[in-house]
Amino acid sequence: MATEEELFASVDALLEEEPQLPPPSERARLREAAGITQARLAVALKTSTQTVKNWENGRSEPKEPRLSAYQRLLKGWAAKHSAHPAHPASSATPTPTATPAPASSPQSAPFLEAFSAPAEPEAETTAPMQAPAAPAAPERPAVRRPVTSSRRPVAKKTTQPELDPRFPHGPLAVLDGDGSAYGVNGIVWDCPATTIPQLVEWTLRESGLGAPKLHRNGKESDPLIVLTAAAAVKLGLPERLEGHEQRRSLRLPDDHPVVKQVTRAKWKLTQRGFGPWARIYRPAQAGQRQCVQLAVLSWDALDTRAWPGVTDMEPADIARVLGIYAQRVITPRGSTAVSGLELMTALRPPTRAVQDRATGNWVSGHNPGSLGTEPVDPAPPEATQEHPVVVNSGWEGGFLDEEAYQWARDLDLLTGEEAALPWVVGLDLNTAFLAAASRLMVGLSGPEQVQHPHFDKRIPGAWFVDLSHIELDPRLPSPFTPSGLRPTGPAWYQTHTVAYAQELGHNVRPTEAFLRRETGAYLDPWHDRLRTAYVDTLADLGVTKDLSDTEFLAAMERHKQADPGSAAVLAAIKATVKGGVGKLRERPQGRHYKDGDRWPALERPTWRPDLRAAVISKARVNMHRKMLRMAEFTGLYPLAVLSDCVVYPSPGRSPLDFLPYSTSGKPIPGAFRLGSTPGLAKVEGVREMAWAVDLMEQGLNPARHIKGGDAVLDEGE
């Protein structure tokens, strides 16, 4: 007879064995009896639908912790829907909530109940499988493990974006050198590709990547694969690109082996070639796009100014950060400037399907409110000096100078009372250009030249008018020039600048104008989407709209430390706004360019310097209006302005020491006020008055240096 010690040893040996599962056919029967689809089960177990299919047809078996979780689920279903002879794994009767998790897999219970990501399990073991020649839906790769990371992840509420069922793994993935592809929804799967053509095929056929259209008349976003340095080398790419005169011109030479591989596989590259952001495509077939975008991290695809700290993150965290940006803004398609411009088109597609009255067929037609499909040349004063409409016409009539403020007060105008204040405080307007884009009426048609027009603030355009006679307080910058200096004679101004002169009570009599009669709020959807993205991302960092001003200032002091991932998303959103506006007037690149030649950007319908001028003009006028209200209510005047940053003398280190409030404690309408939404203010920096006076004595702008670094309106890369 066996001893007690021998019996316990036998039982312990059984306990150490892996959980046993019923046969594949029984797994499928139990799931169907419970009324659960394969897709729903895949979501519950943090895996892909194809992996569940593999389990149910015997092509692969789950590994821990999914194994224990899956077994627990099958036991519960078996207790309710038993119809076959008992199986070692399905004869137990406890319900799922009553079955304790095995000691060797402590994560399995919360994994099943709360769907939270457990610690890293072993890889799935997948048997070779033959893909069907023409599958009804693309096959999905087997998921290996949920994501874990050594770095702080982005905020929990943003790590699980709502996914389109056509793109179950989200818009993008980050590929590492070991073949692990990190998705935005917390999964990692194996990518078998060893060449770029194989990677493209895998992405289109198996990855389940992509994003839905942002407008019903638009297009789905192409999947994005981000390559780490190790992944780039594994796929035959150099770790770095060297020897080019400008970063924006970086690309592989046409005779590089990888470029030849792409060509031999009958794929194409865009005219930009294989650079940090490469698009690889084949012509659309049956209306289906075949295009994959690659971003090479070690080739500086993510500019550190727009994506601070992201390239140093783990692949899983890079995927999360880019995934949040893709969910809230757009799947990255290049620099943030490029993405900002692409977002305009994605939200206002140039065409829509219309029915031909003669034939009854559906054809492509103009989408009202969009910029159309053909580029429109600007009026000469709206263009740049090297533009063909200027060079070829011999235009010498001057140009619009609608730029952001760069002004510092003359030191002689600093009063003794102001100089006695101990501090200067810099206020920065949240995404001032974005706020200016709200309900902004712009021209949708080409310019029409008019002599001696009657000024109408409802018509966007360029007006030649003399505003030099308007005299304002010299302690404020002029609202009519970016330098803040009073105009010296007639000049070209955008509609908002002239309208503000009229608002201030002055008569305006233009002698000439270039006007656009067809108008629309083209940028409204762009504004709305970016505004929501900005506010939601600040909320992830603990800066919400319901905070008091004191709470807001405290939250802003610590928001970047709250979560580096969300802080990077916020920086990218702000760069998208400025870069997108700047790219509306992208200048020619390269030392070989000659004035009068057309450059590639001119062939875009979105090369619209008049739109850029309208945004900046309105932003500058908004800034002046707030400064004027501040002077009326507080008697305070700014020392300096740089774009959306204004510096005020202050008796204390906080803006609460000088901002105007009513007797009830509410901010005065029209003046600067604190808050997290676009157009409201936050603190840019605080310095001593002596520091500001010293800079002004040197002819420098305190607003440029109160925080450190330069504020530049990027005109795109």
Side-chain angles (χ1 to χ4, degrees):
M1 179 178 292
T3 65
E4 181 179 340
E5 183 176 346
E6 290 172 336
L7 291 173
F8 272 80
S10 298
V11 169
D12 289 342
L14 289 174
L15 289 174
E16 291 176 1
E17 292 182 4
E18 285 194 344
Q20 298 297 306
L21 297 174
S25 59
E26 176 67 0
R27 304 170 198 175
R29 187 197 71 79
L30 290 172
R31 175 185 55 74
E32 291 170 355
I36 302 298
T37 64
Q38 291 175 327
R40 186 176 174 188
L41 178 57
V43 171
L45 294 178
K46 285 289 193 181
T47 188
S48 68
T49 304
Q50 182 60 49
T51 299
V52 173
K53 291 180 180 179
N54 291 345
W55 295 345
E56 292 185 356
N57 59 29
R59 287 174 174 167
S60 69
E61 294 293 327
K63 290 291 185 179
E64 292 292 2
R66 289 184 182 83
L67 177 57
S68 294
Y70 191 32
Q71 182 204 37
R72 182 180 184 185
L73 184 60
L74 292 172
K75 282 183 178 180
W77 284 342
K80 295 180 179 180
H81 311 291
S82 179
H84 288 214
H87 181 275
S90 59
S91 58
T93 58
T95 63
T97 55
T99 305
S104 61
S105 181
Q107 298 97 338
S108 59
F111 182 90
L112 181 60
E113 294 168 357
F115 307 145
S116 59
E120 184 173 325
E122 297 178 16
E124 303 283 359
T125 55
T126 306
M129 55 186 294
Q130 183 70 33
E139 295 242 340
R140 309 302 184 210
V143 175
R144 289 200 294 117
R145 57 183 180 273
V147 172
T148 57
S149 173
S150 61
R151 299 180 184 271
R152 182 195 300 270
V154 293
K156 182 179 293 185
K157 65 175 286 188
T158 62
T159 56
Q160 298 291 339
E162 186 177 337
L163 299 177
D164 189 293
R166 296 169 299 164
F167 311 111
H169 293 152
L172 57 90
V174 179
L175 183 63
D176 209 353
D178 62 357
S180 299
Y182 296 79
V184 302
N185 53 349
I187 61 173
V188 183
W189 61 96
D190 289 317
C191 173
T194 58
T195 67
I196 292 296
Q198 289 175 2
L199 176 61
V200 172
E201 293 283 354
W202 176 84
T203 303
L204 292 175
R205 314 300 176 214
E206 300 183 40
S207 70
L209 294 174
K213 60 184 71 173
L214 298 181
H215 186 280
R216 66 179 182 274
N217 296 320
K219 301 174 181 177
E220 286 82 7
S221 289
D222 299 320
L224 168 64
I225 300 294
V226 181
L227 304 179
T228 64
V233 171
K234 177 183 177 181
L235 294 168
L237 300 171
E239 183 173 348
R240 304 287 304 179
L241 281 180
E242 307 288 351
H244 286 266
E245 59 190 34
Q246 295 185 20
R247 188 178 71 83
R248 70 189 68 205
S249 66
L250 289 175
R251 56 188 290 174
L252 290 179
D254 293 340
D255 60 353
H256 190 277
V258 169
V259 176
K260 291 182 177 180
Q261 285 177 356
V262 171
T263 303
R264 283 197 300 268
K266 301 188 185 311
W267 290 99
K268 297 178 180 293
L269 292 163
T270 61
Q271 291 183 351
R272 296 184 68 88
F274 204 122
W277 290 89
R279 292 186 185 183
I280 302 177
Y281 72 97
R282 284 176 182 156
Q285 295 181 353
Q288 296 296 315
R289 290 168 60 84
Q290 297 184 88
C291 182
V292 173
Q293 184 160 280
L294 304 179
V296 187
L297 292 177
S298 58
W299 295 2
D300 299 325
L302 299 181
D303 191 321
T304 56
R305 296 169 297 176
W307 299 97
V310 175
T311 54
D312 296 327
M313 294 180 179
E314 298 296 327
D317 290 330
I318 296 173
R320 291 190 183 104
V321 169
L322 296 180
I324 294 171
Y325 179 89
Q327 177 202 13
R328 293 180 175 174
V329 182
I330 193 172
T331 303
R333 303 185 184 186
S335 67
T336 48
V338 170
S339 296
L341 198 68
E342 293 276 355
L343 181 63
M344 295 179 194
T345 303
L347 294 170
R348 291 279 199 189
T351 61
R352 64 171 181 169
V354 296
Q355 194 168 25
D356 187 293
R357 292 184 178 180
T359 65
N361 296 329
W362 289 93
V363 296
S364 179
H366 175 66
N367 186 27
S370 75
L371 298 181
T373 59
E374 298 298 324
V376 175
D377 278 340
E382 297 170 339
T384 56
Q385 292 183 348
E386 67 272 14
H387 195 285
V389 302
V390 174
V391 176
N392 296 339
S393 67
W395 174 263
E396 295 181 353
F399 300 91
L400 280 174
D401 189 20
E402 299 290 8
E403 301 292 343
Y405 269 131
Q406 295 191 52
W407 171 85
R409 201 199 304 179
D410 191 325
L411 197 58
D412 294 339
L413 297 175
L414 182 67
T415 67
E417 185 178 344
E418 289 175 322
L421 293 174
W423 303 101
V424 292
V425 177
L427 294 178
D428 178 76
L429 296 187
N430 302 322
T431 57
F433 296 133
L434 183 62
S438 177
R439 297 186 297 277
L440 176 66
M441 297 301 291
V442 299
L444 302 178
S445 56
E448 172 189 333
Q449 188 173 12
V450 182
Q451 298 295 330
H452 301 287
H454 172 73
F455 177 70
D456 188 339
K457 65 180 182 180
R458 296 169 298 180
I459 303 177
W463 308 78
F464 192 70
V465 60
D466 191 351
L467 303 179
S468 62
H469 64 283
I470 300 176
E471 189 170 347
L472 300 171
D473 193 308
R475 291 172 294 179
L476 288 174
S478 168
F480 311 127
T481 64
S483 66
L485 301 177
R486 183 173 174 174
T488 58
W492 290 97
Y493 300 98
Q494 202 276 336
T495 298
H496 281 88
T497 304
V498 184
Y500 188 58
Q502 201 173 57
E503 179 184 323
L504 294 174
H506 301 281
N507 190 24
V508 293
R509 294 180 178 177
T511 58
E512 187 180 1
F514 286 89
L515 308 178
R516 287 175 165 81
R517 302 296 182 178
E518 183 184 346
T519 65
Y522 172 74
L523 292 173
D524 259 10
W526 186 79
H527 162 270
D528 294 347
R529 186 167 177 83
L530 285 169
R531 182 187 188 278
T532 301
Y534 181 84
V535 171
D536 288 352
T537 306
L538 262 183
D540 290 344
L541 292 165
V543 186
T544 57
K545 292 186 289 186
D546 59 345
L547 299 177
S548 68
D549 285 358
T550 301
E551 293 169 335
F552 169 75
L553 292 173
M556 287 300 296
E557 284 188 3
R558 59 178 182 267
H559 79 285
K560 289 186 179 180
Q561 289 72 42
D563 173 15
S566 288
V569 175
L570 186 70
I573 292 170
K574 292 190 288 187
T576 301
V577 173
K578 281 195 173 183
V581 172
K583 203 145 177 76
L584 290 166
R585 197 191 67 170
E586 183 176 1
R587 305 293 284 270
Q589 310 296 334
R591 61 183 180 181
H592 301 298
Y593 174 78
K594 295 181 181 179
D595 287 355
D597 290 346
R598 294 188 70 85
W599 59 95
L602 299 188
E603 307 312 317
R604 296 193 312 248
T606 49
W607 195 88
R608 290 293 299 271
D610 56 302
L611 269 64
R612 177 184 182 273
V615 171
I616 299 175
S617 169
K618 185 178 175 183
R620 196 182 66 244
V621 163
N622 286 347
M623 176 70 86
H624 190 276
R625 190 181 287 114
K626 292 178 185 297
M627 291 187 288
L628 190 60
R629 292 283 285 174
M630 281 285 293
E632 292 173 357
F633 281 95
T634 68
L636 290 178
Y637 291 83
L639 298 182
V641 187
L642 181 74
S643 187
D644 48 10
C645 175
V646 57
V647 176
Y648 274 97
S650 173
R653 294 177 56 90
S654 170
L656 299 178
D657 295 321
F658 66 88
L659 288 177
Y661 292 86
S662 67
T663 54
S664 62
K666 294 183 178 180
I668 297 295
F672 292 104
R673 57 177 295 188
L674 301 174
S676 61
T677 56
L680 300 187
K682 59 182 180 293
V683 175
E684 180 76 355
V686 181
R687 299 291 185 100
E688 295 180 347
M689 174 62 77
W691 169 87
V693 171
D694 182 58
L695 286 182
M696 294 167 71
E697 287 177 341
Q698 301 176 55
L700 301 176
N701 188 331
R704 181 179 295 277
H705 303 283
I706 197 163
K707 181 180 180 180
D710 295 342
V712 177
L713 179 62
D714 182 10
E715 291 194 1
E717 297 182 1

